[in-house]
Amino acid sequence: MSSVARKIAGQSRPQLKLAYSWSTILQTSIIRRPYATQKLNLPALDRKWRRISKPSKRVEEDTLRLGQASPGTALKPSQTQSTDNRMYILSMFPYPSGTLHLGHLRVYTIADVIARFRRLQGYDVLLPMGWDAFGLPAENAAIEHGIDPAVWTKYNIARMKEQLESMNESFDWSREFATCDPSFYKHTQKIFLLLHKHGLVSQRKATVNWDPVDNTVLANEQVDSEGRSWRSGAKIVQRELEQWFFHITKFKESLLRDLEKLSQDDAWPERVLTMQKNWLGRTDGAYYEFLVDSKDKTIESHKLKIYTTRPETIYAAQFVALSPHSSLVQQLAQEDAELRAFVERVKDLPPDTTEGYLIPELKATNPLSFVEGAAAANTEPLPVYVAPYVRGDYETGAIMGVPAHDTRDFAFWQTHCPETPLKYAVAPTPDAPTPIDMRGPYLGEGYLTSIAGPLQSMSSDAAARRIVSQIKDASNLAESNTKWKIRDWLISRQRYWGTPIPIIHCHTCGHQPVPDDQLPVMLPRVDAHWENGRVGNPLESATDWINTSCPKCHGPAKRDTDTMDTFVDSSWYYMRFPEPFNSEAPISEAAARSYLPVDIYIGGVEHAILHLLYARFVYKAVMGILYPELGATNGESESITSPLDFSGEPFKRLITQGMVHGKTYTDPDSGRFLKPDEVDLSNPSQPKVVASGKPAIVSFEKMSKSKHNGVDPTTFIEKYGSDATRAHILFQAPVGEVLNWDEHKISGVTRWLARVYDFVRKIQIPKETSSPGFNGEAYFNEPADELRKIKQKQAAQWDADVEVWRAIQNTIISVTNALEKVYPLNTAVSSLMSLTNKLIENQDACDVVKYEATVRLIQMMAPITPAFAEECWSILKPNTGSIFAKGHSSWPVPDGSLQYLGSDGVNCAVSVNGTLRCVVFIPTKSADIADSSPEFQQWVTEEILKSEEARAKLLSGNTDIRKATKVYVVKGGAVVNYVVPKEKKEI
């Protein structure tokens, strides 16, 4: 057997001299193909490979695999399949507005790339797609155009599906559904009734946020900080109506507790976890009662109740402040004309005003005064002010003023007592000096200062609990209290286009659930309502639909005319994709065991609170009721007696992609946003205003019609091809960051693809491409004495082989790392570009190595540029089928050859504050360290300081790189600049 044949078969070579007799061997082992001259046409490749691809049959395959007899029947628990090789990847499903935007393109490209990558790794991947189809826009469009919202919605779905398919996506369309399908909202109603049965739904009168434009109720979460509707922008008004609520507050403890689980291994972004914590809003505070007396005893002594979220700072209280709206102030103002005038005047002042009115005859006694051994400083009477910054509608309308630990109190105190020193009760360290002067409030947690006497150096949390307990025991003037910001979820909507609430109202029996065999309660046809352009809820006048019989007494009754908030649909839709045709339940236990929770969930950070919080609640409630053992860990199932104990989460890992901003042109004279035809782009790098010839101001802004910076992804794909567009959208920015969309930069991607295509068409293909495969470890494992015998020409070839194969191995590691972490997907594209350059540069490498390297390059490109990869695969592996065929192609893995390929490195030019200090040699970074990461910066610094010259020049004074506030590393470490603050000179 020849040495090359042994290499391909994975065997080591007995003699090196045989390995380099390639000129003869390769003539028989390599196919010589004529040079193809056709130009790369990426849009044509999209069309070609979409025609060749066949529709997915995954649902049918899963049905057979899991033993489901026919669509509509639920899986049995005994039919559960192991989830070890299964992966459920889901992107947040779109609202069918009719047009996709670049934000859609970005999130669905990310999802598809990860799904294809995991399939190539051998996973059985579920990547479904559906439609969040209920909602106000469809109903408003129906009123505007006089058509049924169902017709409008279905038209938009068909249009958007066609757009999605142009993206070369691999969604499993056989599982497609829309939330407006009766077969879907039947189970939304089932979930409502399930929660209702278990006491998690109720109807009660409530003051609600009413949108006067959309004529519907909004949840608190749907009203912005200015009191406007998130949808219409209208100023909301308050109304009192009978409303339906989901009791999400009963799950507040588990919703907060299990965020800890989601924080492990960076499963969820810290930013999202923080937003969820803040919305749940748990605060462990206390109520204190300060005794208020007048000096002359003309005002009756009474207790002033005050709430604080920082009980330990009572040691630093320096005044008490009352809201102008408090009952005590109103009482005092009747006898005090000056106070009465102040109260009237401050009505129009901004909420952050520092104005105040000192009530000279009043003094407040700190409840610390009643604790045995309290310091004299804590027993002195406190002045009492009327302060407009104290809200009358918050708690008791009174606060204890702690200027050393609150910014508003500090600003007020500086205005009224600027010469009085601050009293600090908390310091950042346990051994803070006395007296403390931080020249401003200290807002963080820490350790109590000497002012706390016996509690000095105790941590804030421990001290807060201790002092509340001491005051309570001594005088009963303190009480611990835990508060939550979250409120029950108001789900009622007085609109038509939503899931009808499955409740029947009977004068005799009260409200009754619709029987299971009568579900779904379907929306009636109300064509006249749309044709006449009426507003309001047409269900209220659909008498034939409203009037029904009571399921309990069979007497006359009426249906509930409210529909559910669309967030109810999206709170559980991910449960439906594994089993979309199950008519018996939202999901069976077998399907839940096989698919849930979702492995990777991808969507925008704008859904960090509402959608994700509601989804977590519904998952815990529904699964905790139906299949409690699925939320157990370490055999806890027997202890789960209530859904409140369910610890499962719907999404293992959450990926939040950044927004896409469009290039925006502004007239420098008027500041007006320019339309495309008002900008001269004959020189894209120097755009000009057509009317004036002046340079246009260029910026990147959130895409909107008013800024004329929107991009139609369909048009873009038709022009450049889906694969170039996908690679471009990944390459421009890390997944989690804002992407500044610049069409002109796609030329770099198209040039890269053209170079790869040209290289593939020129490659020499071995005749036997079905062999066990190239074994790099065996090929490059050569004894040193054998390598010394290589002739010069052979040595050049060997060096090129080593260069190429080292690049292949490192790229496999770096690209795999990027695809697994998801956020650095841009580095996957850049690594593949660098690998392409390495292949083209090393023309001296032998044909077998170049061929095997090219095969791996195309395998790694496949998730990102699927149609292009299919075309190249058909050239490299003719007549072998799709690169994505199950069991046909696997994701490349390191072959163990790196240990024989040596290490390379770069000369690193090290600058401090822009001035070159030295040049040192550092090794090439490990492929598992992401570019631009803090880990990479730390590694570069460590490698630099291994040099004696670097240590001599970079560890002192203004060049001490250990003190750098910023580190800029470019070109893989070839250039590093440290920003080091200059040391202040003592005078």
Side-chain angles (χ1 to χ4, degrees):
M1 182 186 292
S2 71
S3 59
V4 172
R6 284 192 181 93
K7 294 178 217 172
I8 296 176
Q11 301 177 20
S12 60
R13 294 162 286 175
Q15 291 184 353
L16 185 64
K17 61 183 179 181
L18 293 177
Y20 289 93
S21 301
W22 288 337
S23 59
T24 317
I25 295 168
L26 292 179
Q27 291 177 6
T28 59
S29 64
I30 301 293
I31 299 174
R32 299 288 181 181
R33 294 182 296 110
Y35 178 72
T37 58
Q38 67 267 29
K39 183 181 178 182
L40 176 62
N41 186 331
L42 290 168
L45 289 187
D46 290 341
R47 294 188 292 271
K48 171 183 174 179
W49 288 101
R50 277 202 296 271
R51 284 195 305 268
I52 294 173
S53 300
K54 294 182 179 179
S56 170
K57 297 294 182 184
R58 291 192 183 92
V59 167
E60 291 82 349
E61 292 172 2
D62 286 338
T63 297
L64 294 173
R65 187 184 306 121
L66 293 172
Q68 184 171 321
S70 60
T73 59
L75 302 180
K76 298 177 182 179
S78 60
Q79 296 168 337
T80 302
Q81 183 188 4
S82 170
T83 59
D84 291 344
N85 198 43
R86 173 164 283 166
M87 185 164 286
Y88 184 2
I89 299 172
L90 182 64
S91 48
M92 295 180 185
F93 65 168
Y95 176 79
S97 61
T99 305
L100 290 177
H101 53 69
L102 280 176
H104 290 119
L105 178 60
R106 189 179 195 191
V107 66
Y108 300 136
T109 295
I110 294 165
D112 187 65
V113 167
I114 302 308
R116 290 180 183 274
F117 161 63
R118 293 299 187 178
R119 289 193 191 110
L120 287 172
Q121 283 190 316
Y123 286 93
D124 180 10
V125 175
L126 171 60
L127 180 69
M129 177 53 69
W131 308 95
D132 191 9
F134 274 138
L136 290 174
E139 189 162 346
N140 290 338
I143 294 170
E144 182 180 352
H145 301 294
I147 59 172
D148 192 314
V151 175
W152 187 84
T153 300
K154 289 176 182 177
Y155 171 79
N156 286 347
I157 287 175
R159 183 179 174 189
M160 291 178 70
K161 183 175 179 179
E162 184 178 344
Q163 292 175 309
L164 277 173
E165 289 174 335
S166 74
M167 297 178 182
N168 287 349
E169 44 67 30
S170 59
F171 294 120
D172 184 350
W173 288 109
S174 64
R175 299 174 185 266
E176 176 190 13
F177 61 74
T179 57
C180 63
D181 297 337
S183 60
F184 178 87
Y185 70 71
K186 168 185 177 179
H187 297 286
T188 306
Q189 293 171 344
K190 277 179 172 281
I191 288 173
F192 176 98
L193 294 176
L194 179 72
L195 300 183
H196 182 270
K197 179 181 178 180
H198 286 81
L200 296 174
V201 180
S202 67
Q203 188 182 39
R204 63 177 184 264
K205 274 198 172 184
T207 301
V208 298
N209 304 310
W210 179 261
D211 184 329
V213 173
D214 285 331
N215 290 319
T216 191
V217 168
L218 301 178
N220 289 331
E221 299 90 334
Q222 295 169 324
V223 179
D224 68 17
S225 58
E226 296 180 354
R228 296 185 179 277
S229 166
W230 74 305
R231 178 74 73 177
S232 71
K235 195 78 173 177
I236 62 101
V237 295
Q238 300 293 306
R239 282 191 180 182
E240 189 158 291
L241 297 173
E242 289 283 344
Q243 297 292 290
W244 289 99
F245 290 86
F246 280 178
H247 298 319
I248 189 173
T249 54
K250 291 188 177 182
F251 286 77
K252 58 183 182 290
E253 294 284 359
S254 64
L255 288 169
L256 179 62
R257 176 195 67 218
D258 294 335
L259 288 176
E260 180 62 31
K261 178 193 303 183
L262 299 176
S263 69
Q264 295 173 7
D265 300 321
D266 297 322
W268 280 39
E270 182 60 35
R271 177 185 177 189
V272 173
L273 296 174
T274 300
M275 293 170 77
Q276 293 242 324
K277 287 178 184 176
N278 291 341
W279 191 258
L280 290 166
R282 174 179 173 138
T283 55
D284 294 312
Y287 283 105
Y288 288 132
E289 289 184 293
F290 286 69
L291 300 182
V292 178
D293 297 281
S294 62
K295 294 178 181 178
D296 55 7
K297 304 298 181 181
T298 56
I299 299 175
E300 185 178 349
S301 174
H302 71 282
K303 297 175 182 178
L304 188 64
K305 198 170 188 178
I306 287 173
Y307 177 74
T308 176
T309 59
R310 298 287 303 277
E312 75 279 13
T313 63
I314 191 171
Y315 289 100
Q318 295 186 260
F319 66 95
V320 167
L322 306 174
S323 167
H325 304 288
S326 75
S327 58
L328 178 59
V329 171
Q330 295 297 318
Q331 178 186 342
L332 293 173
Q334 293 177 6
E335 306 295 330
D336 185 336
E338 192 175 346
L339 173 59
R340 190 163 60 249
F342 175 81
V343 170
E344 185 65 27
R345 180 171 61 83
V346 298
K347 286 181 179 178
D348 299 324
L349 293 180
D352 59 349
T353 179
T354 59
E355 285 208 35
Y357 180 89
L358 176 66
I359 306 177
E361 65 271 21
L362 287 188
K363 293 295 179 182
T365 302
N366 191 322
L368 279 172
S369 303
F370 301 94
V371 176
E372 186 177 352
N378 295 319
T379 61
E380 295 176 359
L382 301 177
V384 179
Y385 288 87
V386 178
Y389 80 90
V390 180
R391 286 172 47 191
D393 59 349
Y394 178 73
E395 290 297 338
T396 62
I399 66 157
M400 63 177 193
V402 187
H405 299 295
D406 185 276
T407 53
R408 297 168 305 167
D409 296 349
F410 175 76
F412 183 84
W413 196 243
Q414 287 296 102
T415 299
H416 296 275
C417 300
E419 303 301 323
T420 305
L422 300 183
K423 296 167 62 176
Y424 288 91
V426 181
T429 60
D431 53 354
T434 302
I436 298 174
D437 182 12
M438 298 187 190
R439 300 185 181 181
Y442 175 67
L443 306 179
E445 294 185 351
Y447 303 88
L448 265 65
T449 65
S450 59
I451 199 175
L455 303 189
Q456 181 178 2
S457 300
M458 185 178 289
S459 68
S460 299
D461 288 342
R465 293 189 294 270
R466 178 73 65 84
I467 190 56
V468 170
S469 176
Q470 287 182 352
I471 294 176
K472 181 178 177 62
D473 291 343
S475 61
N476 205 32
L477 295 177
E479 187 72 45
S480 295
N481 186 275
T482 298
K483 292 183 178 292
W484 296 79
K485 176 184 175 183
I486 189 171
R487 299 291 180 262
D488 280 338
W489 176 12
L490 191 160
I491 67 156
S492 298
R493 295 294 178 269
Q494 290 66 48
R495 299 296 295 222
Y496 169 85
W497 194 234
T499 299
I501 290 178
I503 292 292
I504 293 172
H505 298 275
C506 174
H507 286 296
T508 303
C509 307
H511 64 256
Q512 298 294 315
V514 173
D516 190 76
D517 60 2
Q518 295 180 23
L519 297 178
V521 177
M522 296 180 62
L523 290 167
R525 292 290 297 271
V526 288
D527 294 340
H529 183 88
W530 315 122
E531 291 168 1
N532 296 329
R534 300 173 187 168
V535 296
N537 183 5
L539 295 179
E540 294 176 350
S541 57
T543 55
D544 291 342
W545 179 82
I546 293 175
N547 294 320
T548 186
S549 59
C550 174
K552 185 175 182 181
C553 71
H554 306 294
K558 294 183 181 296
R559 297 190 187 280
D560 198 295
T561 58
D562 284 355
T563 55
M564 296 186 213
D565 181 6
T566 56
F567 277 113
V568 177
D569 306 320
S570 60
S571 72
W572 80 275
Y573 80 105
Y574 51 89
M575 301 184 204
R576 192 63 180 165
F577 283 122
E579 213 174 19
F581 306 120
N582 181 350
S583 62
E584 300 174 14
I587 188 171
S588 67
E589 181 179 355
R593 285 187 180 277
S594 290
Y595 286 96
L596 297 178
V598 176
D599 291 285
I600 301 177
Y601 194 41
I602 308 168
V605 74
E606 64 270 20
H607 301 293
I609 298 176
L610 300 183
H611 163 57
L612 291 173
L613 192 64
Y614 293 156
R616 295 180 63 221
F617 157 65
V618 169
Y619 185 80
K620 288 176 179 293
V622 172
M623 289 296 168
I625 294 169
L626 296 179
Y627 316 120
E629 63 278 6
L630 296 186
T633 56
N634 302 322
E636 295 175 348
S637 57
E638 294 182 0
S639 65
I640 297 180
T641 58
S642 163
L644 302 182
D645 299 326
F646 188 85
S647 62
E649 289 286 338
F651 313 116
K652 285 184 184 177
R653 188 177 178 204
L654 175 69
I655 302 295
T656 54
Q657 87 284 355
M659 296 182 67
V660 181
H661 287 181
K663 184 176 279 190
T664 310
Y665 300 99
T666 308
D667 189 320
D669 294 330
S670 65
R672 182 175 61 87
F673 294 115
L674 299 171
K675 298 177 181 178
D677 59 3
E678 295 177 314
V679 184
D680 177 5
L681 293 175
S682 55
N683 183 352
S685 62
Q686 295 180 339
K688 296 181 179 179
V689 181
V690 172
S692 65
K694 294 182 178 180
I697 298 172
V698 181
S699 62
F700 286 91
E701 310 272 352
K702 182 179 179 181
M703 291 186 176
S704 68
K705 292 180 180 179
S706 63
K707 296 174 183 176
H708 315 295
N709 63 349
V711 175
D712 181 359
T714 306
T715 302
F716 199 87
I717 288 171
E718 289 174 353
K719 181 177 180 180
Y720 296 103
S722 177
D723 284 356
T725 304
R726 288 162 61 105
H728 178 57
I729 207 167
L730 295 177
F731 183 49
Q732 288 300 296
V735 165
E737 296 182 11
V738 170
L739 189 159
N740 290 328
W741 185 262
D742 189 343
E743 177 177 349
H744 301 294
K745 291 183 179 179
I746 199 173
S747 58
V749 171
T750 55
R751 282 197 302 270
W752 168 52
L753 296 178
R755 295 178 76 205
V756 174
Y757 188 59
D758 186 55
F759 189 79
V760 167
R761 287 184 293 131
K762 293 178 182 179
I763 206 75
Q764 303 301 316
I765 303 177
K767 287 182 179 179
E768 298 296 332
T769 57
S770 60
S771 61
F774 178 78
N775 188 322
E777 184 176 14
Y779 184 92
F780 290 101
N781 183 10
E782 280 298 337
D785 56 342
E786 293 291 339
L787 293 176
R788 284 192 289 268
K789 300 176 184 178
I790 302 176
K791 296 179 181 179
Q792 184 175 357
K793 183 177 180 181
Q794 295 170 334
Q797 186 170 256
W798 177 262
D799 290 344
D801 286 350
V802 169
E803 282 288 314
V804 167
W805 208 249
R806 183 196 297 125
I808 280 289
Q809 298 302 298
N810 282 326
T811 304
I812 289 172
I813 296 170
S814 63
V815 172
T816 301
N817 176 70
L819 288 167
E820 287 177 343
K821 290 185 176 180
V822 182
Y823 284 105
L825 277 179
N826 59 316
T827 66
V829 180
S830 61
S831 295
L832 292 168
M833 289 178 171
S834 298
L835 176 60
T836 302
N837 293 336
K838 187 70 70 172
L839 284 172
I840 294 173
E841 290 167 3
N842 285 275
Q843 295 293 336
D844 288 339
C846 76
D847 288 336
V848 170
V849 169
K850 285 193 289 189
Y851 172 79
E852 295 291 343
T854 306
V855 166
R856 286 156 179 77
L857 168 64
I858 299 304
Q859 286 175 315
M860 289 187 283
M861 291 178 66
I864 299 169
T865 57
F868 177 82
E870 290 278 29
E871 182 70 14
C872 293
W873 192 256
S874 69
I875 297 171
L876 296 169
K877 300 275 190 178
N879 304 316
T880 59
S882 170
I883 192 172
F884 297 105
K886 187 174 290 188
H888 180 277
S889 173
S890 61
W891 183 256
V893 296
D895 61 12
S897 62
L898 269 177
Q899 59 185 314
Y900 307 116
L901 300 175
S903 61
D904 51 2
V906 294
N907 286 318
C908 175
V910 185
S911 296
V912 178
N913 297 330
T915 301
L916 181 66
R917 297 295 176 180
C918 61
V919 178
V920 299
F921 182 83
I922 63 172
T924 301
K925 74 173 180 69
S926 172
D928 61 353
I929 301 178
D931 290 336
S932 304
S933 66
E935 183 184 7
F936 181 36
Q937 295 173 0
Q938 181 180 353
W939 175 85
V940 168
T941 301
E942 290 173 353
E943 292 299 325
I944 289 171
L945 293 178
K946 289 179 180 179
S947 162
E948 184 177 345
E949 178 188 4
R951 290 195 300 272
K953 296 181 177 180
L954 303 173
L955 292 179
S956 61
N958 291 330
T959 61
D960 189 343
I961 63 176
R962 297 170 299 181
K963 299 177 181 178
T965 56
K966 291 184 179 179
V967 183
Y968 298 95
V969 186
V970 297
K971 297 182 180 180
V975 178
V976 183
N977 183 43
Y978 293 90
V979 178
V980 179
K982 291 184 178 180
E983 295 182 348
K984 295 181 180 180
K985 296 181 179 180
E986 295 185 3
I987 300 176

